[in-house]
Amino acid sequence: MTDTIPQLASHDEPALDQAFRTLATEVQAETAALTTPEAQENFRLHWLGRKQGRLKLISEAWLKSAPAEARKPLGIRFNQLKQQIEQALEAPASQKSAVVLGLDITLPGVIRSPGIPHPLLETMRQIVEVFHHLGYSTNLGPQVETDFYNFEALNFPPNHPARDTQDTLLIANQQSKPSRDRLLMRTHTSPVQIRTMVQQAPPIRIVIPGKVHRNDAADATHSPIFHQVEGLCVDTNITFSDLKGTLDHAMKALFGSSVKTRFFPSFFPFTEPSADVQISCIFCGGKGCRKCKHSGWIELLGCGMVDPAVFASVTEERRKTNPADDAYNPEKISGFAFGMGVERIAMIQHGISDIGHFYSGDMRFLEQFA
Ligand code: PHE
């Protein structure tokens, strides 16, 4: 690289060709080294700089003093050189390095760490899989639900106090609609029981994983958005012992074969009888510890036999399209349902004490599941 401009030997064409060929070779050699933005900028200043750039110097040394008949051949060559320089500056520096340096397979590659399923989704998948092995299939439903599916069809009549147990997030400006059509964020996955039965005759064996929403303040064990897996089985001769056997098996599959289950009377408007299921404490084996509040048992899910009032709502809906429908006649069929919180199960599985970890996106937490 030199900034002094040689004297032109003469102004005939071969002499001009020779002079510009030398410059073009110089430009080409420098182009090869334009692998960084800084190198590119230096190159630009070196050739195109307004005061000391080589093109400026060349134009002063060669063009200004040239005899009139040499102006045109000089100008043409000058413009070609300028174009060559501008083209060299157009390609991005990174691209040039690939072209110029080629592919060096001995360099370390770009390491992209493989992703993992989020621990909540992984627990949800495990729960669903246990039931898939029992012949259940999966159904999904909307998170924005109508009052009918979330409450009324599940035997929560309008203004019934049982609605108070589900701190509901309502969609605004629904007052002009009939109460059954008003929109809300679903408070549980149970509305998908209704959606399924309205569309499908028994036998039914489905699990319903999904997000649910409640007007709960966030604390160590509550979050306004959380996840449930619901189950529904409807067929001839389904009894409470089928429910007990199914859930006992599921809990053993999820927490280990030494886990015991017990069923406590409870209440849900859409099941009768209803029960809360407890498992023997997996931390102390049932002896009693802080985790199980020294009771030896951990409460895990709600369940029960489908209430005939639910079958009645389903039948009423089905008769809108088929007036003779009798698929959900409680004299002929029966069923059970259950619902469990995914966060709670994942927290017990992994010994997590704050539900907020699941949603914080903190890599130090998430990486532990890789
Ligand atoms: N939907 C109930 C809840 O969210 C749980 C449940 C589901 C209970 C199915 C019984 C049967 O609290």
Side-chain angles (χ1 to χ4, degrees):
M1 249 193 255
T2 163
D3 287 314
T4 54
I5 308 299
Q7 286 287 305
L8 274 180
S10 89
H11 287 104
D12 59 19
E13 299 243 348
L16 293 183
D17 280 341
Q18 171 64 39
F20 277 95
R21 206 176 304 124
T22 310
L23 290 169
T25 316
E26 225 177 281
V27 168
Q28 201 176 1
E30 287 177 35
T31 304
L34 300 184
T35 55
T36 63
E38 298 80 62
Q40 218 159 0
E41 178 60 7
N42 288 339
F43 173 84
R44 192 186 65 75
L45 285 173
H46 178 61
W47 287 97
L48 304 178
R50 276 171 182 240
K51 290 189 180 147
Q52 290 300 309
R54 300 211 78 197
L55 283 191
K56 169 83 175 161
L57 299 177
I58 288 167
S59 114
E60 271 167 11
W62 294 357
L63 280 170
K64 287 192 178 156
S65 61
E69 69 280 8
R71 291 257 165 93
K72 195 172 175 198
L74 253 173
I76 292 173
R77 288 168 177 78
F78 184 86
N79 283 336
Q80 280 171 348
L81 182 66
K82 194 173 176 194
Q83 263 181 17
Q84 187 192 356
I85 294 164
E86 281 167 353
Q87 272 168 14
L89 283 167
E90 263 164 31
S94 57
Q95 198 175 317
K96 222 163 281 138
S97 75
V99 172
V100 173
L101 302 175
L103 177 67
D104 183 350
I105 59 166
T106 64
L107 287 172
V110 180
I111 296 166
R112 188 180 297 195
S113 39
I116 50 144
H118 189 278
L120 272 181
L121 289 183
E122 177 55 21
T123 294
M124 194 138 103
R125 190 197 61 73
Q126 285 171 15
I127 299 168
V128 164
E129 186 180 58
V130 167
F131 290 96
H132 280 179
H133 288 167
L134 294 174
Y136 285 63
S137 45
T138 301
N139 244 9
L140 302 173
Q143 291 177 51
V144 179
E145 201 34 292
T146 62
D147 186 282
F148 175 75
Y149 285 111
N150 196 82
F151 288 128
E152 223 176 296
L154 288 161
N155 201 27
F156 293 80
N159 303 317
H160 193 277
R163 291 188 177 214
D164 295 348
T165 62
Q166 316 243 336
D167 302 299
T168 312
L169 292 161
L170 302 170
I171 306 287
N173 305 324
Q174 302 289 302
Q175 290 82 348
S176 61
K177 294 182 183 174
S179 98
R180 60 170 274 151
D181 296 335
R182 291 181 194 168
L183 297 174
L184 44 82
M185 299 309 291
R186 72 176 177 194
T187 57
H188 50 178
T189 40
S190 305
V192 190
Q193 287 188 32
I194 308 296
R195 289 182 174 275
T196 306
M197 289 190 281
V198 167
Q199 281 176 10
Q200 242 172 278
I204 286 196
R205 281 172 184 75
I206 50 154
V207 272
I208 303 146
K211 264 193 183 66
V212 301
H213 306 249
R214 291 192 193 178
N215 185 21
D216 278 337
D219 63 21
T221 55
H222 292 83
S223 157
I225 303 177
F226 60 106
H227 301 78
Q228 291 187 331
V229 176
E230 185 94 6
L232 175 68
C233 166
V234 183
D235 206 338
T236 48
N237 302 317
I238 298 295
T239 67
F240 199 87
S241 46
D242 294 316
L243 170 59
K244 285 185 81 172
T246 301
L247 289 181
D248 186 71
H249 166 81
M251 293 305 116
K252 286 181 164 65
L254 285 172
F255 294 104
S257 55
S258 58
V259 154
K260 295 193 199 63
T261 52
R262 67 178 188 179
F263 290 69
F264 259 63
S266 183
F267 173 78
F268 300 101
F270 43 95
T271 47
E272 180 60 33
S274 304
D276 284 329
V277 183
Q278 303 179 347
I279 63 167
S280 53
C281 179
I282 60 160
F283 300 104
C284 63
K287 286 192 208 77
C289 66
R290 268 180 52 207
K291 293 260 166 89
C292 60
K293 298 197 185 92
H294 303 282
S295 70
W297 296 90
I298 295 179
E299 195 175 303
L300 219 51
L301 67 142
C303 66
M305 302 306 291
V306 180
D307 195 302
V310 170
F311 290 139
S313 310
V314 168
T315 299
E316 202 180 311
E317 278 305 291
R318 290 173 61 90
R319 286 190 179 161
K320 287 182 182 167
T321 48
N322 175 11
D325 182 79
D326 200 34
Y328 286 91
N329 181 345
E331 303 287 314
K332 296 181 191 157
I333 50 98
S334 53
F336 63 74
F338 54 85
M340 57 190 98
V342 179
E343 277 79 353
R344 188 162 160 72
I345 292 178
M347 285 168 83
I348 293 169
Q349 276 180 327
H350 302 297
I352 296 165
S353 53
D354 188 338
I355 197 172
H357 287 308
F358 289 127
Y359 318 114
S360 69
D362 188 334
M363 290 301 285
R364 292 168 302 177
F365 171 76
L366 294 171
E367 272 166 1
Q368 297 177 82
F369 302 92

